Amino acid sequence: MYAQMVKADGKGVKSREEMDAEERAFQDKIDRDVKIEPKDWMPEAYRKTLIRQISQHAHSEIVGQLPEGNWITRAPTLERKAILLAKVQDEAGHGLYLYCAAETLGVSRDDLLDQLHSGKAKYSSIFNYPTLNWADIGAIGWLVDGAAIMNQVPLQRTSYGPYSRAMIRICKEESFHQRQGYDLITKMAQGTKEQKAMAQDAMNRFWRPSLMMFGPSDKDSVHSAQSMAWKIKINTNDELRQKFVDQTVPQAEYLGLEIPDPDLEWNEERQSYDYGEINWDEFYQVISGNGPCNKERLGARVKAWEDGEWFRDALTAHADKKAAKKKKQQQDAA
Amino acid sequence: MADKDALFKFLCRMGDNCLIIGHRNSEWCGHAPILEEDIALANIALDFIGQTQLWLGLAGEVEGEGRTADNLAYLRDAFDFKNFLLVEQPNGDFAQTLTRQMLFDAWHLPMLQALKESSDERIAAIAEKAVKEAKYHLERSRNLCLHMGDGTEESKRRMQDAIDLLWPYTGEMFKSDNVDEAMVAAGVAPDLADIKATWDNFMDEFFAEAELVKPENAWFQQGGKTGTHTEHMGFLLADMQFLQRAYPGATW
């Protein structure tokens, strides 16, 4: 899940009686699963909350290039290098169409990037963890993309049309990435003693941060009710987290990797796994800028943006000159 | 039929150029000046890595000692790499990356167009596939270099600096040696003098249109084609080959 802490605007969920006629008609459309399109009327709070959610997701895709990009130059075979390049390219593409979806809500990509660079906008906590060995690339595909898909598959049905359509495209590519990640970590887990150790090390570091991707526990998730009423959130954080644990534990067992949680246990009654308490202090610290790589990640994005300013300015200047030339030619001809 | 040793060397040169310039482009991943360029650079790097697999795969086959494309990419030392010095030059600023790309693409495209007619069908088949990608690469690098030359004062200055910096590495691309001569004799590859004529035409047109000055210098660096590289190459390989070197025999 790439948007974990989306603050919903508005003062809690209104009852039908509290809504005015426009709000009621809007809510009726959502309840009937009719998509909201850019030109339709929408409550200001819905628009603002969606911008926040979509841009958090877009920023996560962009920052998410960095931990994996860290290994592109060291990928161990030509095929692995190509797979990783293609994956990171897909992520940049996801960022691009999510920014486009956000732009349909009346905000520019440059404004959203300013918010990212100033630290005002958030991105997924997971990308503030380092990638320290090659198996991390497999762990990211398997666990991180796996967790993202858990959240994104239901979002294909989200109420806002452009967002829903972006998610449909993204989900297709994400499930491909997850399979490739699982393939990579399988090779490692079934490889030499050193490769197995790398796979276990990756598992030890990425398991809990992956669970944190679903956001705070339901009891502390204060904005969920409004987002769920608007169908920009479909399931609760804990529901999705549980589903992820139940899906992933058998895969880890198959790979012979130990899950770093002494409290992990099958619950016969619930037909589900119990798992240990998540360190929410760590989560809030990472979200608020104190994760192991927050400064590097944001610093790298800011540097890329600042170093690239002359290039972007030159593109604009050239386009302006060209347009002026064309205009002059047309005037001369007339 | 071309001499096996010369053919192997020729194929390594083709593959090594693709591998090293692809690798350099891949270093930009996540750090490009604008999102669209992140996507374009990854895409181009991907094309080159794909072409590397084909050229080095064929090189291993021609050599006949059981070496795969991966073996050649990851288990040779710098002196066995036969790429141009141009492609191993560091990325520098974006103007340097774009200039390096255009100078190379303007050689690569006519080379591949000629290799489509190679007497060796395996080579002709690879060229046929790669030429479509090279066409797009040159169109992009040329357009962006032109736009930067005619953008702002700063972009123009950066472009001119990049051209002046990299120009001395272009001569090597056209310097024919006994490997090239053997390829011409066997009808495998074109005469480099023909490729140079096309490249010169391209550059003359480029400089006529761009607001930039063509360097006058007549001294060119060389050595890449025979394995004498710049100091950058060792670091590039240390990065690229780390896992294969640290864990010999593992499969990935």
Side-chain angles (χ1 to χ4, degrees):
Chain A
M1 175 164 182
Y2 287 162
Q4 329 165 269
M5 284 276 287
V6 182
K7 183 177 164 296
D9 270 55
K11 300 185 180 81
V13 187
K14 284 185 182 174
S15 67
R16 285 189 69 81
E17 291 69 37
E18 289 170 311
M19 291 178 184
D20 62 28
E22 269 179 325
E23 287 172 326
R24 249 197 309 272
F26 172 82
Q27 190 63 48
D28 285 346
K29 266 166 100 176
I30 288 183
D31 294 343
R32 279 185 286 121
D33 283 330
V34 176
K35 294 278 179 257
I36 308 300
E37 295 300 335
K39 287 187 176 142
D40 296 348
W41 183 88
M42 61 186 82
E44 190 53 19
Y46 173 85
R47 196 181 67 83
K48 280 192 175 158
T49 308
L50 257 180
I51 289 176
R52 223 172 268 145
Q53 180 167 336
I54 297 173
S55 62
Q56 261 191 38
H57 188 166
H59 297 330
S60 300
E61 298 281 359
I62 301 311
V63 178
Q65 294 180 93
L66 298 171
E68 292 179 289
N70 183 36
W71 279 89
I72 283 183
T73 58
R74 291 177 290 171
T77 67
L78 294 169
E79 194 188 351
R80 289 287 174 204
K81 195 182 183 78
I83 290 172
L84 188 54
L85 265 168
K87 182 182 178 202
V88 179
Q89 187 193 16
D90 283 348
E91 278 155 10
H94 296 171
L96 197 59
Y97 38 86
L98 284 162
Y99 284 126
C100 291
E103 282 182 323
T104 65
L105 292 158
V107 61
S108 75
R109 199 208 302 183
D110 280 2
D111 286 343
L112 294 175
L113 288 174
D114 280 347
Q115 290 171 13
L116 172 68
H117 298 152
S118 71
K120 191 178 161 222
K122 304 288 179 218
Y123 56 87
S124 179
S125 57
I126 193 74
F127 301 118
N128 291 313
Y129 289 87
T131 48
L132 301 177
N133 82 59
W134 173 248
D136 287 15
I137 300 307
I140 288 180
W142 171 39
L143 300 175
V144 174
D145 291 329
I149 292 166
M150 243 354 134
N151 184 256
Q152 290 168 2
V153 165
L155 280 178
Q156 295 177 99
R157 293 182 281 118
T158 191
S159 61
Y160 188 57
Y163 189 27
S164 156
R165 290 188 285 274
M167 293 318 296
I168 290 168
R169 288 180 66 179
I170 289 173
C171 280
K172 277 190 199 142
E173 292 176 351
E174 292 288 1
S175 29
F176 193 56
H177 297 163
Q178 197 203 8
R179 278 203 298 277
Q180 289 170 331
Y182 190 69
D183 175 67
L184 194 163
I185 203 144
T186 304
K187 268 265 164 30
M188 300 294 284
Q190 296 172 351
T192 63
K193 192 165 97 267
E194 290 88 353
Q195 285 175 304
K196 277 182 200 156
M198 285 186 238
Q200 186 61 55
D201 177 52
M203 183 76 183
N204 293 347
R205 284 178 290 106
F206 274 95
W207 175 251
R208 283 179 186 274
S210 299
L211 297 187
M212 292 178 197
M213 287 176 68
F214 297 93
S217 171
D218 291 350
K219 61 182 189 321
D220 301 315
S221 186
V222 284
H223 307 292
S224 287
Q226 180 62 78
S227 289
M228 288 177 88
W230 281 333
K231 291 191 187 166
I232 56 180
K233 183 172 178 143
I234 313 285
N235 307 85
T236 73
N237 295 352
D238 286 335
E239 273 169 22
L240 291 169
R241 189 166 13 243
Q242 183 68 60
K243 210 173 155 198
F244 175 74
V245 172
D246 291 345
Q247 173 188 290
T248 311
V249 172
Q251 295 172 343
E253 280 170 359
Y254 172 78
L255 293 173
L257 294 176
E258 198 180 317
I259 293 181
D261 178 357
D263 298 323
L264 187 82
E265 204 174 5
W266 177 250
N267 183 325
E268 192 58 39
E269 198 182 318
R270 288 199 306 119
Q271 287 293 300
S272 222
Y273 283 93
D274 293 334
Y275 54 90
E277 186 59 33
I278 289 166
N279 183 348
W280 292 114
D281 285 346
E282 177 182 323
F283 171 76
Y284 288 111
Q285 285 297 328
V286 176
I287 278 281
S288 57
N290 296 322
C293 293
N294 290 59
K295 287 186 178 63
E296 286 89 336
R297 300 290 187 245
L298 200 54
R301 289 309 308 168
V302 169
K303 185 175 187 303
W305 188 250
E306 287 175 353
D307 287 354
E309 192 180 2
W310 69 268
F311 173 79
R312 296 189 305 276
D313 287 349
L315 282 183
T316 311
H318 177 77
D320 289 347
K321 282 185 196 174
K322 215 170 140 185
K325 220 180 198 172
K326 200 174 167 190
K327 200 173 164 193
K328 190 171 179 303
Q329 278 169 352
Q330 282 167 346
Q331 280 168 349
D332 290 349
Chain B
M1 188 67 188
D3 170 66
K4 194 174 98 173
D5 185 50
L7 184 58
F8 172 73
K9 283 185 178 139
F10 173 75
L11 290 166
C12 284
R13 287 176 182 177
M14 292 303 295
D16 292 345
N17 279 321
C18 292
L19 175 58
I20 303 305
I21 203 164
H23 185 91
R24 282 294 190 214
N25 274 309
S26 79
E27 290 173 350
W28 273 103
C29 192
H31 305 279
I34 191 169
L35 193 47
E36 283 80 352
E37 286 303 313
D38 267 317
I39 296 172
L41 287 162
N43 191 31
I44 291 166
L46 203 51
D47 287 345
F48 280 117
I49 300 306
Q51 293 178 23
T52 305
Q53 288 174 299
L54 299 173
W55 290 122
L56 293 186
L58 181 55
E61 198 182 309
V62 166
E63 187 191 37
E65 288 178 17
R67 286 205 282 184
T68 63
D70 279 340
N71 293 154
L72 290 169
Y74 291 94
L75 299 174
R76 280 179 301 159
D77 204 343
F79 48 76
D80 277 331
F81 274 82
K82 310 294 186 205
N83 55 279
F84 302 140
L85 301 178
L86 175 69
V87 297
E88 72 202 44
Q89 295 310 302
N91 287 340
D93 67 3
F94 207 59
Q96 284 170 41
T97 293
L98 288 174
T99 302
R100 183 185 61 200
Q101 195 63 45
M102 180 182 71
L103 297 173
F104 176 76
D105 291 340
W107 169 87
H108 197 212
L109 179 62
M111 189 68 187
L112 290 171
Q113 278 166 335
L115 288 176
K116 277 165 63 181
E117 313 303 325
S118 174
S119 61
D120 188 318
E121 283 174 13
R122 300 165 299 181
I123 290 177
I126 296 174
E128 182 76 44
K129 185 181 175 295
V131 80
K132 295 179 197 115
E133 295 168 348
K135 247 182 214 158
Y136 157 72
H137 297 167
L138 180 59
E139 193 183 309
R140 170 187 172 274
S141 58
R142 177 184 173 276
N143 282 342
L144 284 176
C145 285
L146 278 176
H147 296 176
M148 291 302 106
D150 187 27
T152 60
E153 277 307 309
E154 183 180 3
S155 70
K156 185 179 171 154
R157 174 181 59 75
R158 284 175 184 266
M159 277 308 298
Q160 190 63 55
D161 288 350
I163 288 170
D164 294 344
L165 180 75
L166 294 170
W167 195 259
Y169 296 104
T170 56
E172 181 184 31
M173 300 196 287
F174 310 105
K175 200 166 161 44
S176 192
D177 64 6
N178 54 3
V179 172
D180 297 307
E181 282 156 18
M183 292 303 104
V184 174
V188 169
D191 192 328
L192 289 177
D194 296 341
I195 304 300
K196 181 163 181 4
T198 310
W199 191 87
D200 281 339
N201 275 339
F202 173 91
M203 287 301 155
D204 286 344
E205 279 175 27
F206 173 80
F207 283 105
E209 195 177 339
E211 310 275 317
L212 299 163
V213 183
K214 188 174 173 178
E216 292 281 331
N217 81 317
W219 178 254
F220 292 108
Q221 304 296 337
Q222 56 178 311
K225 283 172 77 168
T226 49
T228 305
H229 289 274
T230 59
E231 288 180 349
H232 305 298
M233 193 65 181
F235 292 99
L236 186 152
L237 294 183
D239 211 18
M240 188 174 86
Q241 298 180 336
F242 156 62
L243 283 168
Q244 289 271 1
R245 297 291 192 181
Y247 303 99
T251 51
W252 304 93

